[in-house]
Amino acid sequence: PAALTAGQMLGFGLVSLGTGMQAVMAKARAAAATRATVLLTGESGTGKEVIAQAIHRMSAEADQPFVPVHCGAIPENLIESELFGYLKGAFTDARKDAPGKFREADGGTLFLDEIGTMPMSAQVRLLRALQEREVQPLGGGAPVKVEVRVVVATNANLWKKVQDGTFREDLFYRLEVVPILLPPLRDRREEVPFLAQHFLNRKAREHGLYPKALHPSVDPLLAGMPWPGNVRQLENAIER
């Protein structure tokens, strides 16, 4: 497909004129044309979930579910039931059957954020789900076939976790089919004024305010800041 224009990128929550993000979007478009597993890496706040959503929206399955799961926010003893579902009576609080996130995303995209926090027991089941294209609910029952595009994201060094013994090497290779690294905002300074104005427009709408514009003198000031929290920090600063 043709390169996205700045306006089209706005539709994905993206404003990108820099070469770094152009390369990211080129890989995202290529991934969207397949159902290959995508591994998004980069510092916190660089926009990994936005890219995951863009991959889904550029795909042939755009009208199917996009199901985000933030692995770090789920207690370790619940992650498997959350992902793979369970049958009534599988554990104390299992009062009815639950499909799990894989089955909720069937036909669409499952986004697993903070994949590096996933416990080893769940990693084994995730590897099987990716290999066999099926999930086994907790509590028994027959495996259920699913057709899901899986996009995972992490701000951690997964290979270091493999070497430390906290992440399975076989799962790492299964996830790293299409690796996409998002550059930090300090390496995308030319995008900062466009991002800032985009966030200003959006926040004005969200808060019921009249549209506003940044004075031209503000652009070099914003572009020169280090933004350790990346795009998320810039967005919050504009809202503030």
Side-chain angles (χ1 to χ4, degrees):
L4 291 177
T5 65
Q8 288 172 316
M9 287 182 178
L10 275 169
F12 290 123
L14 298 170
V15 183
S16 176
L17 301 178
T19 56
M21 285 304 291
Q22 286 177 357
V24 166
M25 289 305 298
K27 292 180 180 179
R29 284 194 300 273
T34 74
R35 296 192 63 87
T37 303
V38 179
L39 172 61
L40 301 174
T41 59
E43 296 178 7
S44 179
T46 49
K48 295 184 287 294
E49 183 166 354
V50 173
I51 297 299
Q53 292 172 340
I55 290 171
H56 176 71
R57 292 175 61 182
M58 290 188 291
S59 74
E61 297 77 36
D63 59 341
Q64 297 300 310
F66 175 86
V67 179
V69 179
H70 296 274
C71 300
I74 302 173
E76 184 173 331
N77 63 327
L78 296 179
I79 186 72
E80 293 184 49
S81 59
E82 185 78 7
L83 289 178
F84 309 112
Y86 54 84
L87 302 181
K88 180 180 179 181
F91 47 89
T92 303
D93 294 327
R95 298 184 176 89
K96 61 180 180 180
D97 293 356
K101 298 300 184 182
F102 261 92
R103 290 172 67 184
E104 287 181 20
D106 195 15
T109 300
L110 178 65
F111 173 57
L112 301 177
D113 198 5
E114 299 182 31
I115 190 69
T117 66
M118 181 175 285
M120 294 292 279
S121 59
Q123 291 179 34
V124 174
R125 294 177 67 92
L126 176 59
L127 178 63
R128 177 173 175 78
L130 293 173
Q131 289 176 335
E132 306 299 331
R133 297 285 181 179
E134 64 183 25
V135 293
Q136 176 80 49
L138 273 66
V144 180
K145 287 290 185 182
V146 289
E147 189 60 42
V148 176
R149 176 201 311 280
V150 175
V151 180
V152 303
T154 181
N155 58 16
N157 185 328
L158 278 191
W159 182 243
K160 186 176 185 301
K161 283 183 168 290
V162 170
Q163 295 174 316
D164 292 344
T166 58
F167 202 85
R168 293 181 62 97
E169 184 174 3
D170 48 4
L171 178 58
F172 172 80
Y173 289 124
R174 174 62 66 171
L175 296 176
E176 199 196 29
V177 179
V178 182
I180 301 178
L181 172 64
L182 275 69
L185 192 55
R186 60 183 174 274
D187 293 340
R188 299 154 49 189
R189 294 186 186 278
E190 69 275 24
E191 299 170 18
V192 171
F194 300 97
L195 283 165
Q197 186 60 55
H198 167 63
F199 290 137
L200 191 62
N201 294 338
R202 194 169 79 185
K203 296 304 177 182
R205 290 194 303 269
E206 289 177 0
H207 294 294
L209 303 174
Y210 289 108
K212 299 178 183 297
L214 293 170
H215 192 277
S217 64
V218 176
D219 288 348
L221 174 66
L222 293 177
M225 295 179 68
W227 302 113
N230 294 295
V231 179
R232 185 182 296 120
Q233 182 187 9
L234 174 61
E235 179 179 7
N236 292 340
I238 293 297
E239 181 170 18
R240 181 166 62 249

